[in-house]
Amino acid sequence: MLCRAARIGRHAQRTGSLGGLSADGQSVACFGFKNATNSQRAAGYRFKSTVTPAAKDTSIPLNSKTQYTTEASADGKTLVTAFPNGLRITSEANPGHFAAVGVYVDAGSRYEDGSTSGYAHLMDRLAFRNSERFTSAEAMAAIEKLGGSIMSSSSRECIMYQAAVFPQDVPTAVKLLADTTLRPKFLPEDVGELQATVPWELQDVESKADMFLPEKLHEAAFRSGTLGNPLLCPIGQLHRATVDSLAEYHERWYRPERIVVAAIGVDHQQLINLCIDNGFADLAPSHPAPAADQSDSNGSWFRKILATGGANSRIAVPSCKSVYTGGTWFDSKPDVDFTQVYLGFKSAGIDNEHGLYVYAVLQMLLGGGGSFSAGGPGKGMYSRLYTRVLNQHAWIESCVAFHHCYTDAGLFGISASCRPRNEHALFDVIATEIEAVAATSGKRSSFRRPYASQEGASLFEVKRAKNQLK
């Protein structure tokens, strides 16, 4: 759950590659197309990368009094504690004026089926309301008194509850986070309020292409479900949600082996004590807790933090391995001002650490933005999509690289927009840039297109992209 840019930059400096190129597996989502057949012929490419061994981690022996194990990262900055019930606590004690603490639940839309579709979204919207120790009014008053930032969010494979507060307010923040995640009360009036307000949220998302098209891109890329499941609760499912069904969802997924508590700027032992005091360590696991195993010192540091109960769970959990299918989705909207295009390809997930760093560098290398963006090198004005696309084609409104990363897979690609009737040329420009960046440094790619030079990324460009990630 922790993926720090500094580690990405340092690892990328040690690796010299930006991946290979393969002409299969593209996914496309578009707004405002009139001719889908010709647009589908505007091809993209998929990048692949290899895996390198992870760095070794050091271990701190078992604490015989409280029966938890603590491990440290190779640089000693990050500590991870595992409890017998499967709960994991991780922190970095970076001093500062503010402290950040969060609770992360291994649940989300990728795990949902027809009966629970959109429930992660609803759990997010019910956060910091009624619980065993707080009413909605009391929780709101406590949040306002903290004076920091406290929020919740749901994604495809994680439900997050986070707070940024002054260091002296960390105990109160942990208390609020614990109650809303472990001991919520689902009341009919709260569910009724959701059923009245969520439709407005869905309409707002559908009106914004930059929010709506990524959802359609995931649906096209993973048609078998999992990562292609809707992130927001469908209208039909919203009206079928009840107090009992939400409570059942919470009981099913909010298990200690699926929870990580993370903090920055908090002493690790203090964080452990706060979690014990607020009931995290008392949660019963949904499977018999395995004996502490410290033998896998060569294992992925990400896997040590993300590992869950898996097949041993007694609670029914559907098979959630993502299957990339690829596909296209078009929506003709003649009244829009710009045609919006998303072209994506399967990429590396978090479990492929080397590939993750490679794609991070590649995204920074391509960069991009809007035609009216302003700023210096820190704003990406020297990235390839700025210098080779936005500065060369006045009819292109925006062009930017993206990377949606998940545990076992990801989507990497380029999103762009242009004036109507230029969309087919836009696809050609995007394909040219993807093809060119895969060419050997200083050499031209094998295909010739009229819209841009085919020179590959220089060593200077790659080094600059790595430095920007530090």
Side-chain angles (χ1 to χ4, degrees):
M1 306 249 177
L2 297 177
C3 176
R4 296 180 58 79
R7 294 188 62 227
I8 293 175
R10 288 195 297 269
H11 190 97
Q13 284 185 311
R14 295 195 296 270
T15 63
S17 108
L18 286 178
L21 188 67
S22 174
D24 64 337
Q26 73 266 15
S27 301
V28 183
C30 303
F31 234 12
F33 263 97
K34 297 185 176 67
N35 191 331
T37 303
N38 291 337
S39 304
Q40 287 174 283
R41 290 201 291 265
Y45 300 88
R46 176 162 61 100
F47 295 92
K48 296 180 180 178
S49 51
T50 58
V51 180
T52 57
K56 291 186 177 181
D57 306 318
T58 58
S59 298
I60 298 174
L62 181 72
N63 185 312
S64 59
K65 182 178 180 181
T66 54
Q67 296 297 303
Y68 56 77
T69 59
T70 299
E71 295 186 58
S73 61
D75 58 10
K77 294 182 178 180
T78 304
L79 299 176
V80 178
T81 293
F83 280 78
N85 63 358
L87 174 74
R88 282 141 295 150
I89 300 173
T90 181
S91 72
E92 290 188 8
N94 294 339
H97 297 294
F98 287 91
V101 61
V103 178
Y104 303 86
V105 183
D106 182 20
S109 62
R110 76 170 293 168
Y111 302 110
E112 295 170 351
D113 52 28
S115 63
T116 60
S117 178
Y119 271 42
H121 176 214
L122 299 183
M123 296 300 293
D124 164 30
R125 294 299 180 263
L126 288 169
F128 305 109
R129 299 203 184 196
N130 294 285
S131 64
E132 287 188 8
R133 293 189 287 187
F134 297 96
T135 64
S136 291
E138 291 170 344
M140 183 61 65
I143 292 171
E144 291 176 350
K145 187 176 180 180
L146 286 177
S149 172
I150 190 165
M151 54 83 69
S152 65
S153 177
S154 61
S155 67
R156 285 186 158 75
E157 53 185 19
C158 182
I159 304 176
M160 300 164 279
Y161 305 84
Q162 302 175 120
V165 296
F166 291 110
Q168 65 269 23
D169 294 326
V170 168
T172 303
V174 173
K175 186 177 181 180
L176 285 165
L177 292 170
D179 252 40
T180 198
T181 53
L182 306 184
R183 297 173 288 273
K185 287 185 178 180
F186 302 104
L187 303 181
E189 54 266 33
D190 290 335
V191 176
E193 183 179 334
L194 282 184
Q195 292 173 340
T197 57
V198 167
W200 293 96
E201 180 183 0
L202 298 179
Q203 290 181 10
D204 182 60
V205 169
E206 290 178 1
S207 67
K208 299 175 180 177
D210 58 335
M211 299 175 66
F212 182 63
L213 279 179
E215 289 300 299
K216 293 301 180 181
L217 180 71
H218 282 79
E219 289 181 18
F222 301 95
R223 292 185 179 274
S224 59
T226 62
L227 296 176
N229 288 338
L231 187 59
L232 304 180
C233 185
I235 289 291
Q237 182 72 1
L238 175 65
H239 295 293
R240 289 192 293 269
T242 65
V243 169
D244 291 338
S245 63
L246 289 168
E248 182 180 350
Y249 180 90
H250 180 270
E251 174 68 18
R252 183 184 189 185
W253 293 104
Y254 284 63
R255 313 302 301 183
E257 69 273 14
R258 306 189 74 88
I259 293 177
V260 173
V261 181
I264 293 179
V266 181
D267 177 75
H268 191 70
Q269 189 58 52
Q270 179 193 8
L271 183 62
I272 291 174
N273 294 339
L274 288 172
C275 290
I276 293 174
D277 293 342
N278 285 279
F280 284 99
D282 297 331
L283 291 174
S286 57
H287 62 86
D293 181 9
Q294 302 182 45
S295 60
D296 186 18
S297 60
N298 291 319
S300 164
W301 181 247
F302 285 138
R303 291 192 186 98
K304 290 181 184 295
I305 301 176
L306 295 173
T308 58
N312 294 325
S313 176
R314 290 202 302 261
I315 293 181
V317 175
S319 175
C320 297
K321 181 176 176 59
S322 64
V323 178
Y324 181 86
T325 60
T328 57
W329 180 89
F330 297 93
D331 186 11
S332 177
K333 290 185 176 292
D335 57 335
V336 297
D337 294 329
F338 298 99
T339 296
Q340 309 277 344
V341 174
Y342 273 71
L343 178 63
F345 316 95
K346 182 182 179 182
S347 65
I350 296 174
D351 59 358
N352 180 354
E353 290 188 46
H354 171 70
L356 180 65
Y357 301 136
V358 168
Y359 279 103
V361 175
L362 185 58
Q363 182 183 11
M364 189 63 69
L365 178 68
L366 289 171
S371 60
F372 293 101
S373 298
K379 293 288 186 68
M381 297 293 283
Y382 289 98
S383 66
R384 291 176 68 87
L385 294 184
Y386 254 116
T387 58
R388 294 164 53 89
V389 176
L390 292 169
N391 289 352
Q392 304 297 325
H393 306 287
W395 48 272
I396 296 180
E397 178 68 17
S398 67
C399 190
V400 62
F402 64 83
H403 188 208
H404 301 289
C405 186
Y406 307 99
T407 301
D408 59 347
L411 285 175
F412 178 89
I414 294 176
S415 65
S417 62
C418 66
R419 294 286 181 181
R421 297 182 297 279
N422 290 314
E423 53 267 15
H424 303 100
L426 179 63
F427 257 124
D428 207 17
V429 172
I430 295 174
T432 296
E433 292 310 308
I434 295 175
E435 182 183 51
V437 79
T440 305
S441 176
K443 296 185 179 180
R444 298 171 66 86
S445 60
S446 57
F447 296 94
R448 183 175 182 180
R449 297 180 186 270
Y451 296 101
S453 70
Q454 302 293 297
E455 290 185 2
S458 66
L459 294 177
F460 176 77
E461 288 178 294
V462 175
K463 183 178 180 180
R464 181 171 59 203
K466 293 177 180 179
N467 289 336
Q468 287 178 301
L469 285 171
K470 290 183 178 179

